[in-house]
């Protein structure tokens, strides 16, 4: 099952060209912008997803190349250069190296990872422009643009921020080209209350001349292409929706030039002081990067009869690839290879908010490496959590759960059980040798456990191929992983450890079959976790260059897993493939990566100062006398230390409560005073700061979740004897009550399955029990209230909120 040659990130020595009669696939992922370090959302949104598909294509024997690189021109680079007091070229060189290093660590197998600030980019971009000009698809127009009198320059889109004009959005930090919150594409002059990003002053509108691509004139050709290819290429639903939304709004002329210095110069005498707008030149980067890969690039890009173009990106990039770029190429009236299939991801959110490069929020590529969590774990988690049809959420607790239960206890457990048993000495195992079949072996096709297993495996492999061909990567991964489920079940059902003593021929068949599954898993999972597959090869004692393959004959071998590995082959040394991620490590990472990168730097500096101060004190105490250093803790102190129980969610006394009455606090406009029945025979008085979020009438006679063992606190003269639990969104503009099921019994305890124990009578505020546990209370994508990822549970079902996903509960 053949080609695991590890395509390290970088360039291949012998460029591939399309081959007549073979399936030729050209793969691109959205060019990551070069003004920052890529975060995990960027990585799963484009480069990692495309890498999985590229690796799969190579396994199938397709003639595939994967092109990518950094998008380097435009305002964002100029802005970053100003921030770092350097030139745009220096910024690009710095961040190109960072991007390349991150992708190499993530095992991204580019055939070429290039950049757009090259002579080839200028050449291809200007050639396309001249064709559009020659074919009369361009127009000249005067447009109004924001001009900053303080900075003495026209402000390109990304140098302007303001309030989004879209009704219902009103995001205060919308950029001049696109609102990050609602994804609406904008012109800077549409923003409400615009401000210059450099000096924060209000710019004025001034006339400037520019060139435009006449999209309305290309509408018929574009719609014909979209209608045909969205069906033939099985475009993802989110891509289709975004594209048709654009067409429905009506195509408008789009400006293709900008008043900047850093970019591809416009080869036109009246516009020689301008450069091309980044939306126009960036997609052309796919072409120019291919031209850096091979001088015969046109065999890939002007060969639609023999080449299929697959493109991967996040949802905010869709219109540029389904409307703008195809229109540009159609306008040249040349025989371009247009996109056949587009694979689009929604957003991967981080804990309770959004990943953001500009704000430095989330886990970034270099952070992932610094955690010492292996790359195969990161790849697996991101792909398992790939936001294919809706936004998904990265949480440290979920990463821990998937690593410990799916990779360690399922996949790693199966492989280790099989190989460790083979490695046992004769008399206990097979002396590290794949057992040879004998005449007394049962027929695999009639041996009931094996026959049943093969039926499941064949079905899994067929489903895997079907999913991967349709670029349903998440489904492909889950299907491959189900084979290790089947393998674990097969081992349990056959009870091979008993067979070894009682029925050696049957045991030999079970072990040969299971060893074949180990190799099959390494093959199917290679696109997702190439480093894992290499480690399995090592433990099987095959050289790392051993080719995996999923061509027709190889797939057929899945129906005879006992024949996959040669009998008599000597395996290597089995070792655990995955390591458990412990609770304390998860808590450490959650704390370490909280807030923005700027916050983390401040925290690190404060920690360094604190440590330096402690070192000074240590030196003083050492010089004043070393006897105290050796003083042992008294038995009384030890007893006190051991008496404090561990901080567990079971220590919280959360109950189903019924608000019997609620009114506004007489001395505080923002507070309610409620009387809540928590099953004690008399109500408790509770003060809650919910006035601006929940109308008074909605507070009456409703069931809520109540934390009953906080120390009572007086709030504006009224003692609050408990706390009503509520969830808030990331910017605390929306708050909703956590509600138990309507049929839950008043006074019953809300539990977290798996956490047993009696609650404290009163939580000791000095021990910060509530504060420690609260950071793990949140709502998930199904609106269920959770501790980590375990639901708040009552006898009548789980507790929920109305609409806030990823909210923090307090």
């Amino acid at each position: 099952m053949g080609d695991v040659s590890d395509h390290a990130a970088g360039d291949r020595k012998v460029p591939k060209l399309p081959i007549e009669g073979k399936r030729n696939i050209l793969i691109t992922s959205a060019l990551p912008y070069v003004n920052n370090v890529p975060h995990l959302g960027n990585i799963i949104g484009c480069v990692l997803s495309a890498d999985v598909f590229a690796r799969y294509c190579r396994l199938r024997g397709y003639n595939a190349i994967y092109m990518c690189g950094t998008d380097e021109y435009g305002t964002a680079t100029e802005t970053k250069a100003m921030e770092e007091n350097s030139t745009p070229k220096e910024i690009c060189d710095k961040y190109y190296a960072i991007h390349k290093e991150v992708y190499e660590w993530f095992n991204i197998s580019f055939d070429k990872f290039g950049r757009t600030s090259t002579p080839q980019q200028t050449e291809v971009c200007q050639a396309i422009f001249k064709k559009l000009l020659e074919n009369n698809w361009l127009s000249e127009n005067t447009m109004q643009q924001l001009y900053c009198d303080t900075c003495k320059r026209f402000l390109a889109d990304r140098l302007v921020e303001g309030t989004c004009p879209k009704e219902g959005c009103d995001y205060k930090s919308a950029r001049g080209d696109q609102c990050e919150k609602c994804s609406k594409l904008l012109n800077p002059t549409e923003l409400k209350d615009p401000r210059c990003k450099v000096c924060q002053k209000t710019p004025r509108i001034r006339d400037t001349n520019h060139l435009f691509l006449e999209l309305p004139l290309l509408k018929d050709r574009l719609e014909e292409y979209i209608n045909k290819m969205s069906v033939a290429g099985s475009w993802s639903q989110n891509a289709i929706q975004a594209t048709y939304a654009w067409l429905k709004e009506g195509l408008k002329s789009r400006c293709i030039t900008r008043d900047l210095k850093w970019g591809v110069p416009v080869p036109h005498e009246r516009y020689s002081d301008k450069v091309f707008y980044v939306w126009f030149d960036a997609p052309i980067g796919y072409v120019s990067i291919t031209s850096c890969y091979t001088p015969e690039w046109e065999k890939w890009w002007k060969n639609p009869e023999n080449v299929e173009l697959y493109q991967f990106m996040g949802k905010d990039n869709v219109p540029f690839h389904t409307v703008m770029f195809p229109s540009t190429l159609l306008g040249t009236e040349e025989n371009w290879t247009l996109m056949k299939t587009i694979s689009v991801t929604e957003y991967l959110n981080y804990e309770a908010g959004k990943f953001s490069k500009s704000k430095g929020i989330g886990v970034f590529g270099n952070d992932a490496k610094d955690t010492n969590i292996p790359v195969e774990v990161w790849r697996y988690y991101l792909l398992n959590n790939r936001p294919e049809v809706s936004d998904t959420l990265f949480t440290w607790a979920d990463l821990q759960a998937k690593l410990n239960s799916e990779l360690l206890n399922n996949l790693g457990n199966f492989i280790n059980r099989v190989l460790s048993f083979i490695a046992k000495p004769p008399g206990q195992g097979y002396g590290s040798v794949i057992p040879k079949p004998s005449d007394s072996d049962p027929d695999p096709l009639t041996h009931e456990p094996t026959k049943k297993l093969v039926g499941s495996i064949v079905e899994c492999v067929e489903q895997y191929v079907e999913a991967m061909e349709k670029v349903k990567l998440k489904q492909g991964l889950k299907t491959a992983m189900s084979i290790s489920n089947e393998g674990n079940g097969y081992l349990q059902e056959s009870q091979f450890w008993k067979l070894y003593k009682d029925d050696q021929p049957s045991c030999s068949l079970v072990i040969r079959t299971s060893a074949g599954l180990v190799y099959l898993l390494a093959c199917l999972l290679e696109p997702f976790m190439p480093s894992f597959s290499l480690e399995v090869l090592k433990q099987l004692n095959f050289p790392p260059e051993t080719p995996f393959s999923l061509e027709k004959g190889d797939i057929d071998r899945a129906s005879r897993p006992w024949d996959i590995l040669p009998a008599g082959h000597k395996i290597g040394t089995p070792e655990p493939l995955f390591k458990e991620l412990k609770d304390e490590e998860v808590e450490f990472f959650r704390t370490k990566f909280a807030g923005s990168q700027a916050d983390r730097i401040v925290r690190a500096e404060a920690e360094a100062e604190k440590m330096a101060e402690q070192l000074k004190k240590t030196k003083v105490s050492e010089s004043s006398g070393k006897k105290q250093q050796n003083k042992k803790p008294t038995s009384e102190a030890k007893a006190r230390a051991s008496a404090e129980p561990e901080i567990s969610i079971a220590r919280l006394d959360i109950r189903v409560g019924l608000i019997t009455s609620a009114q506004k606090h007489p001395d505080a406009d923002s507070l309610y005073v409620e009387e809540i029945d928590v099953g004690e025979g008399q109500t408790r008085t509770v003060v809650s700061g919910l006035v601006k979020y929940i109308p008074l009438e909605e507070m009456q006679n409703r069931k809520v979740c109540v934390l009953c063992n906080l120390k009572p606190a007086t709030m504006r003269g009224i003692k609050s004897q408990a706390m009503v639990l509520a969830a808030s969104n990331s910017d605390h503009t929306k708050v909703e009550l956590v509600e138990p099921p309507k049929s839950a019994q008043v006074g019953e305890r809300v539990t977290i399955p798996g956490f047993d124990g009696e609650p404290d009578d009163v939580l000791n505020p000095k021990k910060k029990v509530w504060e420690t546990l609260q950071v793990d209370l949140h709502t998930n994508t199904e609106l269920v209230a959770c501790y980590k990822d375990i639901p708040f549970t009552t006898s009548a079902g789980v507790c929920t909120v109305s609409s806030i996903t990823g909210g923090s509960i307090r």
Side-chain angles (χ1 to χ4, degrees):
M1 298 192 135
D3 193 4
V4 76
S5 49
D6 183 37
H7 306 284
D11 309 341
R12 254 206 277 284
K13 290 178 182 173
V14 181
K16 290 182 183 179
L17 293 173
I19 299 168
E20 194 73 37
K22 284 203 85 169
R23 196 168 168 202
N24 302 295
I25 298 181
L26 171 57
I27 300 163
T28 71
S29 63
L31 306 182
Y33 208 79
V34 79
N35 67 326
N36 213 324
V37 183
H39 58 59
L40 298 185
N42 304 136
I43 290 166
I44 186 58
C46 50
V47 295
L48 179 54
S49 296
D51 179 62
V52 172
F53 187 67
R55 287 176 178 275
Y56 167 76
C57 289
R58 295 177 195 127
L59 285 183
R60 293 304 307 277
Y62 304 151
N63 185 40
I65 62 169
Y66 176 15
M67 298 286 114
C68 190
T70 44
D71 177 8
E72 302 194 351
Y73 284 138
T75 318
T77 308
E78 286 196 353
T79 307
K80 192 72 174 178
M82 283 188 279
E83 286 174 10
E84 298 195 10
N85 197 26
S86 60
T87 66
K89 175 73 166 60
E90 288 168 343
I91 286 291
C92 292
D93 290 346
K94 171 185 171 180
Y95 283 102
Y96 172 79
I98 291 171
H99 275 255
K100 199 165 188 295
E101 184 181 350
V102 167
Y103 302 140
E104 282 172 354
W105 187 78
F106 270 94
N107 286 331
I108 307 298
S109 61
F110 306 114
D111 288 82
K112 176 70 182 179
F113 184 70
R115 44 202 307 193
T116 58
S117 60
T118 62
Q120 289 90 338
Q121 174 75 357
T122 300
E123 183 184 339
V124 177
C125 199
Q126 290 184 345
I128 287 173
F129 165 77
K130 287 173 183 174
K131 279 288 179 185
L132 292 170
L133 190 63
E134 183 184 310
N135 295 334
N136 297 315
W137 297 116
L138 300 179
S139 62
E140 299 179 62
N141 212 333
T142 300
M143 63 182 287
Q144 293 187 318
Q145 195 171 336
L146 293 173
Y147 184 86
C148 180
D149 288 305
T150 305
C151 298
K152 298 199 180 326
R153 62 188 293 180
F154 282 104
L155 298 180
D157 302 352
R158 292 194 174 212
L159 281 176
V160 187
E161 284 186 342
T163 302
C164 177
K166 185 177 177 181
E167 191 175 342
C169 179
D170 293 326
Y171 181 54
K172 297 284 190 282
S173 299
R175 297 193 312 252
D177 61 342
Q178 189 171 29
C179 175
E180 191 181 29
K181 184 179 176 186
C182 71
S183 297
K184 180 179 173 62
L185 294 179
L186 299 167
N187 285 314
T189 50
E190 295 178 278
L191 289 173
K192 294 187 280 188
D193 304 319
R195 58 190 177 275
C196 171
K197 196 171 176 182
V198 178
C199 68
Q200 298 300 308
K201 295 285 194 293
T202 302
R204 65 185 173 91
I205 292 176
R206 197 171 127 178
D207 288 347
T208 177
N209 295 323
H210 283 287
L211 288 162
F212 290 73
L213 177 62
E214 289 296 332
L215 290 177
L217 300 180
L218 289 158
K219 179 174 179 286
D220 291 344
R221 298 184 190 199
L222 178 66
E223 285 189 339
E224 182 186 352
Y225 157 73
I226 290 169
N227 293 336
K228 177 186 171 187
M229 206 59 84
S230 62
V231 176
S234 301
W235 289 9
S236 56
Q237 200 55 42
N238 44 10
I240 292 170
Q241 287 168 349
T243 303
Y244 280 102
W246 254 65
L247 294 177
K248 188 178 177 183
E249 261 188 38
L251 296 176
K252 300 176 180 66
S253 303
R254 295 293 295 190
C255 183
I256 65 168
T257 53
R258 274 294 178 262
D259 292 293
L260 290 173
K261 300 297 179 196
W262 181 244
V264 174
V266 179
H268 190 295
E269 57 184 14
R270 290 199 298 280
Y271 296 92
S272 57
D273 59 338
K274 301 182 192 294
V275 299
F276 287 116
Y277 190 6
V278 71
W279 77 256
F280 178 79
D281 94 274
I284 294 170
Y286 301 130
V287 182
S288 74
I289 289 167
T290 312
S291 77
C292 294
Y293 170 69
T294 171
E296 297 180 88
W297 61 270
E298 290 187 350
K299 290 183 177 179
W300 284 106
W301 279 100
K302 293 185 178 179
N303 188 4
E305 296 80 18
N306 294 307
V307 174
E308 301 167 58
L309 174 58
Y310 282 71
Q311 299 198 286
F312 291 76
M313 69 206 66
K315 64 181 175 183
D316 51 344
N317 265 316
V318 170
F320 300 109
H321 291 78
T322 61
V323 176
M324 311 285 205
F325 189 40
S327 296
T328 300
L329 298 181
L330 288 167
T332 65
E333 298 178 15
E334 295 178 320
N335 194 32
W336 286 95
T337 302
L338 298 177
M339 178 180 65
K340 176 188 175 185
T341 298
I342 181 172
S343 180
V344 176
T345 56
E346 303 288 314
Y347 292 134
L348 175 69
N349 293 322
Y350 179 68
E351 292 281 346
K354 269 189 175 183
F355 275 97
S356 173
K357 271 204 303 185
S358 57
K359 295 172 185 171
I361 292 171
V363 179
F364 288 70
N366 49 348
D367 296 332
K369 182 180 178 182
D370 292 343
T371 63
N372 290 322
I373 296 171
V375 64
E376 58 268 24
V377 174
W378 285 108
R379 284 181 64 117
Y380 176 81
Y381 179 70
L382 291 173
L383 290 158
N384 186 283
N385 209 20
R386 185 174 185 249
E388 291 183 351
V389 294
S390 61
D391 292 358
T392 58
L393 187 66
F394 172 99
T395 70
W396 287 100
D398 190 38
L399 172 67
Q400 177 192 31
K402 286 188 167 60
L403 165 54
N404 292 351
S405 64
E406 297 173 19
L407 292 178
L408 177 64
N409 294 338
N410 178 3
L411 178 65
N413 178 54
F414 171 68
I415 293 172
N416 196 253
R417 283 176 84 187
V418 174
L419 299 188
S420 295
F421 190 74
I422 294 171
K424 285 182 178 179
Q428 298 174 44
Y430 294 93
S432 295
V433 174
I434 304 293
K436 295 180 179 179
S438 67
D439 293 340
S440 57
D441 281 8
D443 182 350
L445 301 177
T446 58
H447 180 250
E448 198 52 44
T450 305
K451 180 182 172 185
K452 188 170 82 171
L453 172 78
V454 167
S456 299
I457 298 305
V458 168
E459 187 179 352
C460 284
V461 172
E462 288 171 354
Q463 289 174 354
Y464 170 89
V465 170
E466 183 183 357
M468 297 298 283
E469 289 292 332
K470 292 178 179 175
V471 202
K472 294 184 176 178
L473 308 183
K474 200 172 182 177
Q475 186 59 43
L477 176 57
K478 287 185 176 177
T479 305
M481 286 293 289
S482 69
I483 290 177
S484 74
N485 275 335
E486 296 290 342
N488 276 315
Y490 178 61
L491 291 179
Q492 285 304 112
E493 184 182 353
S494 63
Q495 296 190 314
F496 65 94
W497 57 94
K498 288 185 180 177
L499 289 179
Y500 187 79
K501 296 175 186 172
D502 305 334
D503 186 353
Q504 280 273 342
S506 292
C507 189
S508 169
L509 171 63
V510 168
I511 293 302
R512 280 203 318 280
T513 302
S514 299
L517 289 192
V518 168
Y519 188 86
L520 176 62
L521 278 164
C523 179
L524 297 179
L525 291 170
E526 192 276 340
F528 301 94
M529 298 186 288
S531 54
F532 155 82
S533 296
L534 282 173
E535 179 58 29
V536 173
L537 279 182
K538 177 185 166 189
Q539 294 190 24
L540 286 171
N541 195 28
F542 289 116
E545 62 274 12
T546 302
F548 286 120
S549 172
L550 277 178
E551 295 187 52
K552 180 70 175 72
D554 303 299
I555 292 174
D556 291 343
R557 288 173 66 197
S559 65
R560 299 178 62 82
W562 51 86
D563 285 338
I564 289 177
L565 293 182
H569 172 75
K570 189 176 177 64
I571 68 166
T573 304
E575 291 175 0
L577 290 157
F578 301 101
K579 180 187 165 193
E580 181 185 10
L581 188 61
K582 298 186 183 300
D583 288 347
E584 54 269 27
E585 294 174 288
V586 169
E587 191 52 47
F588 171 77
F589 292 135
R590 185 187 285 109
T591 303
K592 180 177 179 180
F593 296 112
S596 68
Q597 288 175 311
D599 294 336
R600 294 172 208 166
I601 291 167
V602 170
R603 281 203 305 270
E605 288 172 350
E607 195 61 38
E609 285 179 19
K610 186 177 172 185
M611 195 167 278
E613 195 60 38
Q614 284 175 341
L615 281 171
K616 283 182 192 173
K617 288 178 181 176
T618 303
K619 286 175 184 173
V620 170
S621 65
E622 280 175 354
S623 62
S624 65
K626 296 189 177 181
K627 284 185 182 179
Q628 289 184 8
Q629 215 174 358
N630 300 323
K631 191 175 177 181
K632 292 183 180 178
T634 65
S635 56
E636 185 185 346
K638 282 183 182 175
R640 277 201 307 271
S642 62
E644 179 63 29
E646 67 171 335
I647 293 181
S648 162
I649 192 70
R651 292 176 66 180
L652 302 188
D653 184 9
I654 303 173
R655 297 186 218 164
V656 175
L658 175 68
I659 301 175
T660 59
S661 72
Q663 58 187 2
K664 287 193 175 178
H665 194 296
D667 296 316
D669 292 339
S670 63
L671 301 178
Y672 284 133
V673 180
E674 306 109 24
E675 291 299 320
I676 304 180
D677 181 359
V678 290
E680 295 173 332
Q682 60 183 32
T683 60
R684 290 199 188 195
T685 301
V686 179
V687 181
S688 307
L690 298 170
V691 169
K692 68 178 182 177
Y693 304 108
I694 301 171
L696 183 60
E697 59 271 19
E698 291 182 19
M699 293 290 292
Q700 311 293 342
N701 297 310
R702 70 186 291 177
K703 285 182 180 171
V704 288
C705 291
V706 185
L707 179 60
C708 294
N709 60 342
L710 279 179
K711 186 177 179 182
T714 300
M715 301 175 73
R716 301 298 290 267
I718 296 178
K719 184 174 281 189
S720 182
Q721 298 167 320
M723 182 169 73
V724 175
L725 296 183
S728 62
N729 61 359
S730 57
D731 57 4
H732 304 293
T733 56
K734 189 175 183 182
V735 174
E736 294 173 351
L737 293 171
V738 176
E739 296 186 87
K742 286 188 169 54
S743 57
Q745 293 296 309
V746 170
E748 79 165 287
R749 192 173 175 202
V750 177
T751 61
I752 308 296
F755 292 87
D756 300 319
E758 290 300 311
D760 292 10
D761 289 336
V762 178
L763 296 173
N764 185 342
K766 290 181 181 176
K767 299 298 181 182
K768 303 287 186 188
V769 178
W770 163 246
E771 291 81 355
T772 303
L773 294 167
Q774 186 274 324
V775 294
D776 285 315
L777 304 182
H778 65 92
T779 57
N780 66 16
T781 52
E782 273 113 33
L783 306 176
V784 175
C786 295
Y787 168 66
K788 298 190 174 176
D789 283 321
I790 306 168
F792 283 37
T793 305
T794 71
S795 60
V798 299
C799 304
T800 58
V801 295
S802 300
S803 65
I804 297 173
T805 59
S808 175
I809 294 174
R810 63 187 71 223

